[in-house]
Amino acid sequence: MNASQTVALTDRNPRVAPDELIAGLVPPPHFENVSFDSYRPDPAQPSQADARDTLRDFVTAKPKQGMLAKLFGGGEKKGATKGVYLDGGYGVGKTHLLASAWHAHDKPATFGTFVEYTSLIGALGFQKAREQLSQMKLVCIDEFELDDPGDTVMMSRLMRELTDAGVKIVATSNTLPGALGQGRFAAQDFLREIQALADQFSVQRIDGDDYRHRGAPTPPEALTSAELDELAANAEGIVARDRFGELLDHLSTVHPSRYGRMLGDVDAVLWDDVETIENEGVALRFVALVDRMYDRGVDIHNSGARLDAVFTDDMLAGGYKKKYLRCLSRLTALAGREEK
């Protein structure tokens, strides 16, 4: 372990060159050594083993080759799978399986969150991003959620063009592809695009309980400021300490696709004066930060409110309910310093 060093995330605003974006689309540290064999399905939930076996078969199947295959749709039967969509609640191992697919498949392949792919398109432009991704044998998309009509149209088109180019696609989400966008924008106005997106996938449902909360239903109680001071003084490795409100303000100046790089080599975060987030845009940026922290196994310690109070009741009942519940699950795991 490194000698103790305290930094502030509010001092960090990393920049990423466009040509680094594709190279950075790999599984995060938390999933760099996972495999289908290391996935442990719940015996009480047979859909978990089914999902693992279906996905393993999908990524190890060899595509048909040749001009006739291209002219006549690859010689595949009508309804053949172009991609696999893992649908299930948070904490059932979807990202583990997604990363396992990336590790098991021939390269080149990419692995990234939905926001990382939309950021790639923003940085390179649609045509260039499509050209780059069309060179991949597999594209893995985690946390696939459509939060606005522009993303719906853009990602629907990209998925169609990638599958037409013979690229295999695996995606995970908490929402069935035909229901993406519901409760967030006027999804009925974009039914054609949403249905075209859904048509790219066969859906594999994964049932089960959140493994992170087996025996740990709530995060620990908040600490005092003096206790945070003591933790900072005695910590090993790199610790980032920030006032919670200032950190939330800072997140608005950093694109969510760069939150992982902002965390860098941080081992733990200390947040002073945690409070309930009242603004939905701020809350969604915080969710993206927690996702990247979870990827890296960053421990959390805080004063102020307990971490399960960061979202309002209206948020937990609204269109982004599943995002917020997943975030609370991950906050609990990180604050409890579980090994999962």
Side-chain angles (χ1 to χ4, degrees):
M1 185 70 73
N2 296 327
S4 176
Q5 179 185 356
T6 301
V7 300
L9 294 181
T10 51
D11 291 335
R12 296 181 169 188
N13 195 336
R15 302 295 174 181
V16 183
D19 58 0
E20 295 181 82
L21 293 174
I22 289 285
L25 290 175
V26 297
H30 189 71
F31 298 101
E32 64 184 358
N33 295 314
V34 300
S35 67
F36 289 121
D37 289 338
S38 68
Y39 180 70
R40 295 290 178 262
D42 184 346
Q45 302 290 347
S47 62
Q48 294 185 9
D50 289 345
R52 178 199 59 196
D53 296 343
T54 296
L55 190 54
R56 179 157 45 193
D57 290 344
F58 176 71
V59 299
T60 56
K62 300 299 181 183
K64 298 183 182 299
Q65 303 292 331
M67 182 59 69
L68 288 178
K70 293 182 179 180
L71 290 174
F72 296 102
E76 297 174 347
K77 297 179 181 180
K78 185 177 180 180
T81 299
K82 297 180 179 180
V84 174
Y85 188 100
L86 300 179
D87 171 68
Y90 43 90
V92 296
K94 299 187 303 296
T95 303
H96 183 133
L97 289 174
L98 186 69
S100 299
W102 186 91
H103 288 299
H105 201 277
D106 294 338
K107 305 299 183 288
T110 59
F111 180 107
T113 63
F114 180 81
V115 72
E116 287 175 315
Y117 284 103
T118 56
S119 175
L120 177 73
I121 294 171
L124 301 182
F126 183 89
Q127 299 297 336
K128 183 66 173 177
R130 183 197 62 191
E131 291 173 7
Q132 293 287 325
L133 293 174
S134 293
Q135 305 305 310
M136 300 297 124
K137 297 181 179 180
L138 176 72
V139 169
C140 298
I141 308 171
D142 203 15
E143 303 161 16
F144 201 115
E145 299 185 41
L146 301 180
D147 296 338
D148 63 64
D151 283 349
T152 302
V153 175
M154 179 176 65
M155 293 303 291
S156 175
R157 177 185 172 191
L158 179 64
M159 296 301 99
R160 289 198 307 271
E161 296 189 10
L162 289 180
T163 54
D164 287 346
V167 179
K168 289 184 177 181
I169 299 173
V170 182
T172 75
S173 181
N174 298 320
T175 305
L176 288 169
L180 288 166
Q182 291 183 4
R184 302 169 199 172
F185 60 87
Q188 65 272 17
D189 295 336
F190 297 89
L191 286 178
R192 178 179 299 177
E193 287 79 6
I194 292 173
Q195 187 58 51
L197 180 60
D199 288 345
Q200 307 304 311
F201 300 98
S202 68
V203 177
Q204 184 68 41
R205 176 72 187 178
I206 308 179
D207 300 306
D209 299 322
D210 183 354
Y211 74 83
R212 289 180 293 261
H213 281 191
R214 295 169 190 165
T218 56
E221 296 297 329
L223 303 176
T224 66
S225 180
E227 288 171 328
L228 285 185
D229 291 341
E230 183 177 359
L231 279 173
N234 297 317
E236 294 183 321
I238 298 178
V239 175
R241 185 171 187 177
D242 296 274
R243 292 198 172 279
F244 191 67
E246 293 176 0
L247 175 62
L248 296 179
D249 290 342
H250 181 64
L251 293 181
S252 67
T253 69
V254 182
H255 192 278
S257 65
R258 302 201 299 269
Y259 288 175
R261 289 179 181 251
M262 181 176 71
L263 289 164
D265 50 2
V266 168
D267 298 299
V269 298
L270 307 182
W271 291 335
D272 288 278
D273 304 322
V274 167
E275 59 187 3
T276 301
I277 302 170
E278 302 289 344
N279 178 276
E280 189 124 72
V282 175
L284 291 173
R285 286 193 290 269
F286 177 69
V287 168
L289 176 68
V290 173
D291 286 341
R292 303 292 74 77
M293 290 172 58
Y294 183 75
D295 289 343
R296 290 157 176 78
V298 177
D299 292 341
I300 301 174
H301 308 275
N302 69 286
S303 66
R306 200 170 66 183
L307 290 173
D308 57 359
V310 293
F311 303 121
T312 67
D313 290 341
D314 286 344
M315 291 176 185
L316 294 176
Y320 297 103
K321 173 182 177 179
K322 289 182 179 179
K323 274 193 173 185
Y324 296 136
L325 291 177
R326 184 191 69 219
C327 183
L328 291 177
S329 167
R330 291 181 167 185
L331 283 169
T332 297
L334 296 175
R337 296 174 295 285
E338 296 179 5
E339 296 300 322
K340 292 278 187 176

